[in-house]
């Protein structure tokens, strides 16, 4: 029996509707948005919002073992992309629009 974790947010204006999903794929958390070409690692989104310390992000999200394990895998994605700062994260997201 396969578990699926997801969360979604829908926002709209008179001209546009946008949907954002957080999904778990391969043990990693990603954000999907209809304006982005690719799924974005959740940790990268936190960095783009100005939370540059990994510890700060974990404290914000929660320190339960299952959550920390999923965040740790998402941190690996940041290391592979060499994203360390808010500016680098914003540039990465900007390139995906």
């Amino acid at each position: 029996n396969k578990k699926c974790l997801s969360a979604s947010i829908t926002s709209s204006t008179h001209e546009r509707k946008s949907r954002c999903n957080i999904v778990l794929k391969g043990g990693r958390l990603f954000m999907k948005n209809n304006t982005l070409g690719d799924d974005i690692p959740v940790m990268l989104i936190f960095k783009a919002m100005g939370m540059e310390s990994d510890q700060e992000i974990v404290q914000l999200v929660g320190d339960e073992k299952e959550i920390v394990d999923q965040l740790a895998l998402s941190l690996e994605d940041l290391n592979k992309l060499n994203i360390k700062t808010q500016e680098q994260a914003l540039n990465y997201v900007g390139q995906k629009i």
Side-chain angles (χ1 to χ4, degrees):
N1 208 1
K2 191 174 181 181
K3 284 196 231 179
C4 179
L5 173 70
S6 69
S8 72
I9 301 165
T10 303
S11 62
S12 62
T13 65
H14 294 292
E15 295 106 24
R16 181 173 294 174
K17 190 173 190 177
S18 177
R19 184 179 185 128
C20 176
N21 294 296
I22 304 297
V23 295
L24 180 63
K25 292 194 313 187
R28 290 170 161 78
L29 292 165
F30 292 91
M31 184 188 85
K32 296 175 75 142
N33 186 285
N34 55 346
T35 61
L36 300 172
D38 296 323
D39 297 349
I40 307 290
V42 166
M43 292 299 279
L44 193 142
I45 299 301
F46 284 119
K47 294 261 186 199
M49 293 189 314
M51 292 175 250
E52 293 190 18
S53 160
D54 300 340
Q55 181 178 358
E56 179 183 3
I57 295 168
V58 170
Q59 288 174 343
L60 176 73
V61 175
D63 60 0
E64 293 85 1
K65 182 181 177 352
E66 185 177 324
I67 292 171
V68 171
D69 290 347
Q70 290 165 351
L71 292 176
L73 288 173
S74 295
L75 278 171
E76 290 177 14
D77 294 329
L78 290 184
N79 289 333
K80 289 177 190 172
L81 296 168
N82 198 28
I83 304 228
K84 309 255 187 265
T85 67
Q86 180 182 23
E87 183 178 353
Q88 290 170 327
L90 288 169
N91 286 335
Y92 181 89
V93 173
Q95 292 172 1
K96 299 298 177 184
I97 295 176

